[in-house]
Amino acid sequence: AHFVLHESLGGDGSFGTGHLRTKMFIFETKTFYKFFFFFGFQMAAHCVSKVELSISCSNLLDKDVGSKSDPLCVLLQSVGDDKWSEVERTERVKNCQDPEFSTKLHIDYHFEKVQKLKFGVYDIDNKSVDLKDDDFLGGFECTLGQVCTEKSITAEEVKDNRAVVMEVEAKNLDKKDMFGKSDPFLEFFKQEEDGKWQLVHRTEVIKNNLNPSWKKFMVSLHTFCSGDLNKPIKVSKGFYVQSDVEFDCIHPEKQKKKKSYKNSGVIRIKYCKLEAQYSFLDYVMGGCQINFTVGIDFTGSNGDPRSPDSLHYLSPNGVNQYLSAIWSVGQVVQDYDTDKLFPAFGFGAQVPPNFQVSHEFPLNFNPNSPYCQGVQGIVDAYRMVLPQIRLYGPTNFSPIINHVTRIASGAAQQPNAAQYFVLLIITDGEITDLDQTRQSIVNSSKLPMSIIIVGVGEADFKAMEFLDGDNGVLKSVTGEPVARDIVQFVPFKQFASAPKEALAQSVLAEVPNQLVSYFKMRNMAPVNPPSPVK
């Protein structure tokens, strides 16, 4: 990326002139479960990638007398309240106005956060670590989301993105159960540098079957064998016995040590292939746009907006829980949408001029173009519409879900991974059309779409938790299950005393995996996939 540094206003540490160029590499991507606790509540799992930035500058100011500047670049990240924390810094390059730093800058990438970054370039003329006594040559501020999606940035994942796809079956296994047949499963291990074996995959258990055929599975090549195709793999078969597991190892090394070993069956690999395994960043950097839509609950249970007790009441500083949720989630998502035009709708209100109840009215009252310019545009439209409508009811979700579903259905007809949709619904209470909403979610689960529900106020949100599906697979009234989990529900009150970034971290935590799961289900590669591993 080619960033122009701001012009200097003087020798007080203000920005200088010149250009700063970053080249980004994602060198390690892994999904793991991490739990945060803010004032007693638990955060959800989220996706983290390690980002590597390669920095170069050109035409820097010359601050030294008799020689050129000795520049160094430092990377800082915002920690809130206009405070910055240093992440890393490059080496110092002597006597150079066009440095290309060999030291790379590394930072963890979190989709669910707005990560504000600041690059500062300094002329270093002493051995002190403190930069306050060094000349400031220039700087640039941006978000990491902008770095990841900026088209002028040269970026690639230098990790091995291949995965092992395997399908395995067994024949004539031992009968281990006293009553009935065995319940077998397989475990795969890779050998570490110290010779120890590490479990890399366990198949599902197949009940009462001595000739099982396990489901096809995928494991990243790095996880499966550390990317080394010549690394030995150990396979063990196990049997589920009540609440315990009994293992019967069939690895040749164990067979030699166990002279009494008898042939307890044959394992056959039916299918084995190396396939590209694309990450969330592969799709986003490959050209996938995330389209953000907002639905706001204007039912009467919110209370008269003119009353301080109402959830729609604007405090003296002009905010409420609805606006806080819009800002929190929208500021993250907007970095991933190029035009930043977001449809925004209300439901459950009587709308002028006839004041009929609507569950799908645009906040700007323009059904032909319900788009708001950026998150600020949504906020402005919300404030504008609030005094013009009459809060009513009931609380129906399905119309606005179906609205986004229709748009996502059109995108699903495209032969590439170009678009994904995130619907944010902010509501104060129990849902009225639960059965219709269940069917709408089941339909949406087959499309490039995720649904985020934020509950405001003190209502009982059991129905929302049911729609979330974390405690079981959500099904329609007819029994049809969701194709994949696409709903995330979070009660706003859990975040009342938490850092302002915490809500977005929680509600957006599952979106990266949901996006990847959809395109994997459709067997779609990124529009512009990363270069294949040689």
Side-chain angles (χ1 to χ4, degrees):
H2 204 177
F3 302 124
V4 177
L5 304 187
H6 298 270
E7 185 174 356
S8 174
L9 298 177
D12 57 351
S14 55
F15 283 8
T17 58
H19 295 83
L20 178 147
R21 187 184 303 274
T22 69
K23 188 174 183 180
M24 186 186 73
F25 298 90
I26 312 302
F27 71 90
E28 182 182 12
T29 299
K30 51 188 174 182
T31 301
F32 63 93
Y33 288 95
K34 199 174 195 180
F35 297 93
F36 295 86
F37 291 88
F38 292 109
F39 303 94
F41 68 85
Q42 181 172 300
M43 296 294 294
H46 62 282
C47 179
V48 177
S49 297
K50 184 72 73 174
V51 175
E52 181 177 272
L53 298 170
S54 182
I55 309 295
S56 63
C57 304
S58 60
N59 300 319
L60 294 178
L61 288 175
D62 186 3
K63 289 279 188 172
D64 289 352
V65 178
S67 65
K68 296 180 180 180
S69 296
D70 305 325
L72 168 152
C73 183
V74 60
L75 172 63
L76 302 107
Q77 183 171 10
S78 173
V79 293
D81 298 324
D82 201 29
K83 296 180 180 178
W84 298 84
S85 174
E86 180 176 333
V87 179
E88 279 189 341
R89 61 176 70 181
T90 67
E91 81 279 15
R92 178 182 62 160
V93 179
K94 292 186 177 181
N95 298 321
C96 185
Q97 291 177 267
D98 305 287
E100 183 170 354
F101 301 100
S102 61
T103 301
K104 313 304 178 184
L105 303 179
H106 305 112
I107 187 170
D108 286 338
Y109 165 88
H110 300 258
F111 166 77
E112 60 273 13
K113 290 183 181 180
V114 176
Q115 293 177 262
K116 296 181 180 179
L117 304 181
K118 181 187 291 185
F119 297 88
V121 181
Y122 293 82
D123 176 21
I124 308 298
D125 290 318
N126 54 56
K127 296 182 179 180
S128 171
V129 177
D130 192 348
L131 297 173
K132 293 180 180 179
D133 55 357
D134 298 306
D135 291 324
F136 185 75
L137 301 180
F140 178 79
E141 293 185 23
C142 63
T143 68
L144 189 54
Q146 291 171 331
V147 172
C148 292
T149 57
E150 181 63 44
K151 297 301 181 185
S152 62
I153 289 179
T154 302
E156 62 179 336
E157 289 205 20
V158 298
K159 68 178 181 68
D160 192 334
N161 71 341
R162 293 175 296 172
V164 176
V165 181
M166 191 176 292
E167 188 174 2
V168 185
E169 67 178 5
K171 299 292 185 182
N172 304 318
L173 296 180
D174 287 343
K175 181 179 179 298
K176 295 291 186 179
D177 291 353
M178 184 175 298
F179 302 101
K181 299 177 181 178
S182 299
D183 305 330
F185 61 89
L186 290 181
E187 292 185 325
F188 294 79
F189 298 81
K190 71 176 178 182
Q191 193 170 32
E192 299 286 5
E193 296 299 327
D194 58 4
K196 295 181 179 179
W197 295 96
Q198 179 185 7
L199 178 67
V200 295
H201 181 73
R202 179 184 290 122
T203 68
E204 76 278 10
V205 175
I206 297 182
K207 296 284 188 177
N208 298 316
N209 197 328
L210 300 181
N211 299 285
S213 181
W214 289 277
K215 294 178 182 178
K216 186 180 293 185
F217 63 88
M218 175 185 288
V219 182
S220 73
L221 193 64
H222 175 77
T223 298
F224 197 73
C225 60
S226 301
D228 183 357
L229 298 179
N230 295 316
K231 184 180 285 291
I233 296 295
K234 181 174 72 173
V235 183
S236 295
K237 81 178 192 304
F239 299 97
Y240 181 77
V241 183
Q242 295 180 356
S243 62
D244 200 1
V245 172
E246 176 184 330
F247 296 99
D248 184 5
C249 183
I250 64 171
H251 189 261
E253 179 182 322
K254 297 290 184 180
Q255 182 178 352
K256 293 177 182 178
K257 294 182 179 180
K258 187 176 180 182
K259 296 181 180 180
S260 61
Y261 178 89
K262 74 183 184 76
N263 185 354
S264 60
V266 176
I267 292 176
R268 186 173 77 92
I269 298 176
K270 298 169 59 178
Y271 179 91
C272 184
K273 186 179 179 181
L274 290 181
E275 296 182 0
Q277 185 182 44
Y278 298 112
S279 68
F280 172 73
L281 283 181
D282 283 325
Y283 286 105
V284 170
M285 292 189 292
C288 182
Q289 291 287 304
I290 297 180
N291 303 278
F292 181 47
T293 302
V294 176
I296 299 176
D297 183 343
F298 288 107
T299 54
S301 55
N302 282 279
D304 187 342
R306 294 169 296 183
S307 170
D309 296 330
S310 171
L311 290 168
H312 281 296
Y313 176 75
L314 295 176
S315 66
N317 58 357
V319 298
N320 58 31
Q321 291 187 22
Y322 281 92
L323 288 177
S324 295
I326 292 171
W327 271 115
S328 180
V329 179
Q331 281 190 309
V332 174
V333 177
Q334 71 175 353
D335 281 341
Y336 302 87
D337 190 310
T338 302
D339 61 19
K340 293 179 173 48
L341 292 175
F342 305 127
F345 299 89
F347 59 91
Q350 294 177 324
V351 181
N354 299 323
F355 288 97
Q356 293 181 332
V357 176
S358 174
H359 294 286
E360 187 189 342
F361 65 90
L363 292 189
N364 62 5
F365 292 137
N366 185 351
N368 296 320
S369 182
Y371 303 99
C372 299
Q373 182 64 56
V375 180
Q376 183 62 54
I378 300 174
V379 172
D380 293 342
Y382 169 82
R383 289 172 173 161
M384 179 273 297
V385 78
L386 202 54
Q388 301 185 56
I389 59 175
R390 298 172 185 170
L391 276 60
Y392 205 73
T395 307
N396 292 345
F397 280 11
S398 58
I400 194 168
I401 295 176
N402 292 338
H403 178 97
V404 180
T405 298
R406 288 192 293 270
I407 302 173
S409 296
Q413 304 305 312
Q414 299 176 5
N416 52 34
Q419 295 190 75
Y420 195 83
F421 297 81
V422 175
L423 169 61
L424 170 64
I425 299 176
I426 313 173
T427 182
D428 82 313
E430 282 296 324
I431 186 171
T432 308
D433 63 338
L434 182 60
D435 290 345
Q436 294 90 331
T437 297
R438 289 166 62 184
Q439 184 63 58
S440 297
I441 292 174
V442 169
N443 296 339
S444 301
S445 69
K446 306 168 189 173
L447 300 171
M449 181 173 166
S450 292
I451 301 172
I452 297 167
I453 303 173
V454 176
V456 297
E458 301 296 328
D460 183 357
F461 293 111
K462 289 182 180 178
M464 308 304 166
E465 295 170 355
F466 170 74
L467 295 176
D468 193 313
D470 284 346
N471 296 322
V473 177
L474 178 69
K475 298 180 180 179
S476 68
V477 177
T478 60
E480 181 184 4
V482 291
R484 56 195 182 88
D485 180 17
I486 65 167
V487 178
Q488 173 77 343
F489 167 73
V490 173
F492 188 90
K493 62 184 178 182
Q494 290 187 356
F495 299 83
S497 302
K500 59 183 180 180
E501 299 86 1
L503 176 64
Q505 291 178 34
S506 183
V507 299
L508 293 173
E510 296 182 9
V511 170
N513 286 337
Q514 290 171 355
L515 181 148
V516 172
S517 71
Y518 171 76
F519 292 122
K520 183 182 293 186
M521 180 178 72
R522 293 286 308 277
N523 196 28
M524 285 184 172
V527 176
N528 297 300
S531 302
V533 177
K534 296 181 180 180

